[in-house]
Amino acid sequence: MSTTLTVTDLTLTFPDGSDRITALDRVNLRVRGGQIAAITGPSGSGKSTLLAAVSTLLRPDSGRIELDTSSGTADLATLSRREAATLRRESIGIVFQQSNLVPALTAIEQLEAMVHLGQTWFVSPARRRETRTRARDLLDAVGLSGHEDKRPAQLSGGQRQRVNIARALMNEPSLLVIDEPTSALDQERGAAIITLIMNIVRDHRAATLLVTHDRAHLHRMDSVHHMVDGVLTPETTVVMS
Ligand SMILES: Nc1ncnc2c1ncn2[C@@H]1O[C@H](COP(=O)(O)OP(=O)(O)OP(=O)(O)O)[C@@H](O)[C@H]1O
Ligand SMILES: [Mg+2]
């Protein structure tokens, strides 16, 4: 069975003095494996909050976030912290708006850490080699061959973003959430990153949520949704067979 993400009536509020801000207001959304749903909308409308809720980093007030994969169905809205941490490590690729690379690690080590972090037992040399090969291939896929041994401070903003994307793919996630991958890039590099993400999503069959301000790429997405004040409205839906 292929992956499907189904978000139903998702509501999330933040405390705001004596009141609360409604960051997500009964959001509904469905994304299948291999498809990208684009989320657009003004600053402060709730886009990053939606990604945080879908990736289990924020607990919603109500609603469901169902992830169907070949290993079963999970409601991401009600997992325990421990279950959520395991799911994030194994099945969710997250690319934040701000790059959050570890300053001391080289590009290739950022990717390898994704695999080795989850391992509490001895990692065999064969497994290490396999991990290194995959990390190298992914860095190559994002156009960073030759930069494997550089630390974040030695990379440009766009290069750091590409390391972020490669890292999110390290564990072959079923669910991929990407916040503003092209904001620090020029038109040409931005288009290249979108093409890269599309190819990777198709190859890995990840259900993908992509927040972007860049309308130039929206026609390439499987569906486009607009967020205003926490309310998500479909703009277009192109169902791919
Ligand atoms: N941790 C928080 N505590 C309180 N309010 C928050 C928190 N995070 C976000 N908000 C509020 O929730 C609303 C939605 O914020 P969010 O970050 O999701 O917007 P966004 O659409 O991603 O904006 P941008 O395009 O600027 O990144 C805003 O009003 C914001 O101030
Ligand atoms: Mg945001």
Side-chain angles (χ1 to χ4, degrees):
M1 187 180 64
S2 116
T3 300
T4 307
L5 173 75
T6 310
V7 175
T8 312
D9 281 338
L10 195 68
T11 295
L12 191 151
T13 64
F14 289 115
D16 178 34
S18 59
D19 210 359
R20 298 190 75 85
I21 292 181
T22 303
L24 299 177
D25 190 356
R26 285 163 291 167
V27 168
N28 291 289
L29 181 67
R30 172 168 286 170
V31 195
R32 296 203 160 78
Q35 296 195 333
I36 305 179
I39 316 283
T40 65
S43 180
S45 61
K47 305 179 300 293
S48 296
T49 303
L50 175 61
L51 296 198
V54 162
S55 49
T56 75
L57 295 168
L58 279 179
R59 175 65 66 102
D61 298 38
S62 60
R64 294 196 305 280
I65 308 168
E66 283 156 320
L67 183 65
D68 290 319
T69 62
S70 48
S71 45
T73 300
D75 184 354
L76 311 196
T78 57
L79 295 178
S80 70
R81 274 174 181 276
R82 179 187 290 261
E83 289 168 330
T86 304
L87 187 86
R88 280 200 303 278
R89 198 173 58 230
E90 294 179 354
S91 308
I92 307 180
I94 303 173
V95 182
F96 286 116
Q97 210 162 357
Q98 69 286 10
S99 121
N100 55 338
L101 300 174
V102 183
L105 299 185
T106 66
I108 197 159
E109 286 166 353
Q110 311 274 348
L111 274 66
E112 291 172 324
M114 293 303 290
V115 176
H116 296 317
L117 274 181
Q119 235 95 67
T120 48
W121 57 88
F122 172 73
V123 181
S124 72
R127 178 88 172 117
R128 282 191 185 279
R129 272 196 302 277
E130 192 184 299
T131 300
R132 171 140 296 214
T133 302
R134 177 159 172 76
R136 207 177 278 288
D137 288 350
L138 278 170
L139 287 176
D140 188 30
V142 297
L144 287 177
S145 323
H147 298 281
E148 292 90 347
D149 298 325
K150 293 190 179 167
R151 294 176 214 287
Q154 300 168 288
L155 296 167
S156 74
Q159 289 170 333
R160 281 197 290 268
Q161 234 156 355
R162 285 184 275 155
V163 175
N164 257 341
I165 293 169
R167 183 178 60 174
L169 295 163
M170 205 44 204
N171 291 337
E172 305 201 27
S174 333
L175 180 60
L176 190 57
V177 300
I178 308 182
D179 208 344
E180 299 273 11
T182 59
S183 55
L185 305 178
D186 57 46
Q187 270 299 323
E188 200 177 323
R189 281 255 173 246
I193 283 290
I194 295 290
T195 301
L196 167 76
I197 291 170
M198 291 176 67
N199 290 339
I200 287 170
V201 168
R202 306 275 187 263
D203 287 353
H204 295 265
R205 312 298 301 160
T208 304
L209 286 185
L210 174 77
V211 168
T212 179
H213 275 124
D214 192 348
R215 299 203 63 87
H217 305 297
L218 294 183
H219 67 281
R220 304 165 74 192
M221 302 294 134
D222 298 298
S223 62
V224 178
H225 310 260
H226 196 60
M227 182 83 87
V228 178
D229 291 339
V231 176
L232 190 70
T233 311
E235 265 186 22
T236 59
T237 308
V238 184
V239 177
M240 311 261 296
S241 57

